[in-house]
Amino acid sequence: LDFAVALKIGEEIAKEKFCKFKDQKEAIDAGIRIGFAYITVGVVSSPLEGYTHWETKKTQNGEDYMCLYYSGPVRSAGATNGSFSIMIADHIRETLGYARYDPTEDEVKRVISEVFGYHERITNLQYVPTEKELDFIARNIPVQINGLPSEDKEVFNYKDLSRVETNFFRNGVALIYGEGISQKAPKLLGLLNNLR
């Protein structure tokens, strides 16, 4: 259960060290899933259904960046492991030379609005970060956290954004930002510092 092993597994699979994939996108997807599966010790729903897929999107300058999609079953990984899957993806991103995600003001505000709206209108989160915490995290994560629509309710504002495909609530986004990264940031920083 060494987090450094999860990062190395993800990197080596994404680089196709052990087998060839159809394309780089499939290799990266397998790297994220297998690294994630390693740290969840066989909780299969998280790396198979909690992390659903990733896509290449364009920064405002036209460079390729990574956009990760999550859904509700990511909760079964636990907040630390679910959040660490993003660190695996970011390690792969940096290793393979993808650009950092560059959120717009509206995309940052959508995250804040959606997490609070999900907590108030859909179901209570175990941890609700402050607006300041969410703003900081949404501006600084080097990959985009996204998700497919999971509810039949739309967010109140920050709709029709070009790099966010839906106006409906996304449970994966609320769980990763709310119960995941913001709650476990100090622990994740400790894990990262121990990897150096």
Side-chain angles (χ1 to χ4, degrees), residues 60-189:
Q60 296 170 66
N61 295 327
E63 297 175 284
D64 288 343
Y65 75 85
M66 292 174 66
C67 177
L68 308 179
Y69 289 77
Y70 287 89
S71 67
V74 74
R75 180 177 261 156
S76 65
T80 302
N81 291 340
S83 300
F84 196 80
S85 70
I86 295 161
M87 295 171 80
I88 295 169
D90 183 48
H91 176 66
I92 293 169
R93 175 201 68 79
E94 199 168 41
T95 301
L96 297 181
Y98 283 82
R100 288 178 63 95
Y101 168 52
D102 58 342
T104 64
E105 281 299 313
D106 281 353
E107 287 167 353
V108 170
K109 290 176 181 173
R110 166 68 183 266
V111 167
I112 296 167
S113 174
E114 189 164 359
V115 171
F116 288 140
Y118 186 86
H119 176 70
E120 293 164 5
R121 298 175 62 204
I122 309 300
T123 189
N124 288 347
L125 296 170
Q126 293 173 354
Y127 178 82
V128 183
T130 66
E131 184 173 336
K132 186 176 180 181
E133 286 175 312
L134 282 171
D135 183 88
F136 180 82
I137 293 167
R139 287 181 195 283
N140 290 287
I141 291 186
V143 294
Q144 183 180 6
I145 307 303
N146 207 332
L148 301 175
S150 60
E151 315 301 328
D152 59 2
K153 291 185 173 86
E154 287 193 359
V155 295
F156 285 130
N157 43 28
Y158 306 109
K159 298 180 181 185
D160 303 322
L161 304 179
S162 61
R163 298 192 296 184
V164 178
E165 298 86 346
T166 182
N167 292 328
F168 290 91
F169 281 101
R170 303 164 293 166
N171 57 8
V173 172
L175 292 169
I176 288 290
Y177 274 109
E179 296 182 357
I181 298 167
S182 55
Q183 181 182 16
K184 296 298 181 178
K187 185 174 183 181
L188 294 168
L189 183 60

Side-chain angles (χ1 to χ4, degrees), residues 5-15 27-28 31-32 35 88 92:
V5 172
L7 293 175
K8 196 64 178 173
I9 288 171
E11 175 189 330
E12 290 182 346
I13 290 171
K15 287 181 172 178
I28 291 170
I32 295 169
I88 295 169
I92 293 169

